[in-house]
C-alpha cells in the first residue's frame, strides 16, 4: 500500500461546479499536511496547508480527518484556471515528506 | 528575486555519462531538497540538506551524490547515468525545514539513452 494515495482522476467538471478530492495516508504518526498545485510541465506550488480544525482560503477548503486518516480539498465555483494536478503532501516526521501522485482536474467552459 | 533556479532545463545523456544538475536559491533558506518525478508517481526525495554543511539521503538516493556548496547552492550529480534515471528533477528550498512551504525550481527534464 502506498503511504499517500490519491484518486488520479481526471475529474472533468464544468465551470462553476464544486469538486472535492480526497487523499488517504497510512502513517498514523503523520504530523503535517499540505495541498500543492502543479500545472502541466511546471513545478509544484503550495496551495494551502491543512490544519486540524480545517481551513479555508477563498474558494478552497481543506479538511483533515485523523481518525480515518484522510485529508480533503473542496473547490467551489470552479474556474478554468483551476485546471491542474493537485498533490496531497504528508509529513511523517523529520524530513520525511511524502507526495501523492496527484489528482488531475479539468474545468471546462 | 528569482526564487529557485535550476540548470539545465533539458539534458540528454548516454548510459554511463556523468553530469551535475545545479540549483540555487536567493531566499536565504536553510533547507534544500532534490526530488525526482516520474509518470504516475509522486515526487520522491533523493537527497536533502537540512542546513548549510549537512546532507542526508532521502527515499531514492542510489546512483546520486549531492553537494551543498554554500547556503544558496545545492547540486546533484549522476556519476554514471542509467536509463532508470530518466525523469524530471526538481530542486526545492524551504525556510527552516519540511514543515515550511517548499519552493520549487522549474525542473530539469533528463533523458538517459
Amino acid at each position: 500500500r502506498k503511504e499517500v494515495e490519491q484518486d488520479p482522476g481526471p475529474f472533468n467538471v464544468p465551470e462553476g461546479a464544486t469538486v472535492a478530492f480526497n487523499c488517504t495516508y497510512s502513517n498514523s504518526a503523520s504530523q503535517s499536511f499540505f495541498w500543492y498545485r502543479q500545472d502541466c510541465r511546471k513545478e509544484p506550488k503550495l496551495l494551502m496547508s491543512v490544519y486540524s480544525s480545517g481551513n479555508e482560503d477563498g474558494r478552497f477548503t481543506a479538511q483533515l480527518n485523523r481518525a480515518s486518516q484522510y485529508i480533503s480539498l473542496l473547490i467551489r465555483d470552479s474556474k478554468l484556471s483551476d485546471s491542474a494536478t493537485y498533490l496531497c503532501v504528508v509529513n511523517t516526521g523529520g524530513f520525511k515528506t511524502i507526495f501523492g501522485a496527484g489528482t488531475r482536474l479539468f474545468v471546462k467552459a | 528575486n528569482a526564487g529557485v533556479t535550476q540548470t539545465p532545463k533539458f539534458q540528454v545523456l548516454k548510459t554511463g555519462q556523468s553530469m551535475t544538475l545545479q540549483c540555487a536559491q536567493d531566499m536565504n533558506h536553510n533547507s534544500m531538497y532534490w526530488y525526482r518525478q516520474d509518470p504516475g508517481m509522486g515526487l520522491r526525495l533523493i537527497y536533502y540538506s537540512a542546513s548549510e554543511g549537512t546532507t542526508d539521503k532521502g527515499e531514492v538516493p542510489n546512483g546520486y551524490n549531492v553537494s551543498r556548496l554554500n547556503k544558496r547552492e545545492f547540486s546533484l550529480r549522476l556519476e554514471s547515468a542509467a536509463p532508470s534515471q530518466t525523469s524530471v528533477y526538481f530542486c526545492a528550498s524551504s525556510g527552516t525545514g519540511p514543515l515550511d512551504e517548499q519552493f520549487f525550481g522549474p525542473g530539469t527534464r533528463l533523458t538517459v539513452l
Side-chain angles (χ1 to χ4, degrees):
Chain A
R1 181 186 173 190
K2 292 181 180 178
E3 290 191 76
V4 175
E5 294 203 68
Q6 298 183 249
D7 182 342
F11 286 63
N12 293 289
V13 302
E15 274 188 293
T18 296
V19 61
F21 309 135
N22 280 342
C23 164
T24 59
Y25 60 94
S26 61
N27 188 333
S28 60
S30 297
Q31 301 175 357
S32 301
F33 309 87
F34 310 87
W35 284 102
Y36 277 72
R37 170 195 168 126
Q38 185 173 25
D39 293 317
C40 187
R41 299 181 70 81
K42 298 287 190 181
E43 71 273 21
K45 294 182 180 178
L46 180 68
L47 179 65
M48 58 198 307
S49 301
V50 185
Y51 304 122
S52 296
S53 55
N55 49 303
E56 187 174 308
D57 182 2
R59 298 181 293 107
F60 299 86
T61 300
Q63 296 280 353
L64 168 63
N65 185 317
R66 285 192 183 273
S68 299
Q69 295 183 202
Y70 75 85
I71 65 173
S72 63
L73 177 68
L74 181 76
I75 305 175
R76 291 181 299 278
D77 189 22
S78 299
K79 311 292 185 190
L80 293 176
S81 57
D82 293 334
S83 297
T85 297
Y86 291 84
L87 309 177
C88 169
V89 182
V90 176
N91 179 276
T92 60
F95 278 79
K96 189 172 183 184
T97 299
I98 310 297
F99 283 73
T103 297
R104 295 180 71 187
L105 171 66
F106 293 103
V107 181
K108 300 186 176 182
Chain B
N1 189 339
V4 180
T5 56
Q6 290 183 236
T7 55
K9 286 187 167 52
F10 301 93
Q11 184 70 50
V12 178
L13 293 178
K14 294 181 180 178
T15 298
Q17 288 185 317
S18 62
M19 77 162 296
T20 300
L21 282 63
Q22 306 286 353
C23 173
Q25 52 92 8
D26 63 1
M27 295 174 283
N28 200 35
H29 284 169
N30 287 316
S31 302
M32 298 187 72
Y33 315 81
W34 276 105
Y35 293 91
R36 61 178 289 173
Q37 186 174 35
D38 301 296
M41 303 184 72
L43 278 78
R44 291 182 292 168
L45 184 63
I46 304 170
Y47 271 92
Y48 66 93
S49 171
S51 60
E52 184 180 359
T54 70
T55 61
D56 284 284
K57 295 178 181 179
E59 182 186 354
V60 288
N62 291 345
Y64 306 95
N65 285 299
V66 290
S67 295
R68 183 76 183 264
L69 304 169
N70 48 54
K71 191 170 186 179
R72 290 187 62 248
E73 298 173 288
F74 188 37
S75 63
L76 178 73
R77 182 161 178 84
L78 287 70
E79 290 291 351
S80 179
S84 60
Q85 294 179 303
T86 293
S87 188
V88 180
Y89 291 85
F90 288 103
C91 176
S93 70
S94 64
T96 56
L99 303 187
D100 291 336
E101 175 180 0
Q102 293 190 39
F103 292 83
F104 287 81
T108 295
R109 283 168 173 74
L110 175 67
T111 301
V112 183
L113 302 175

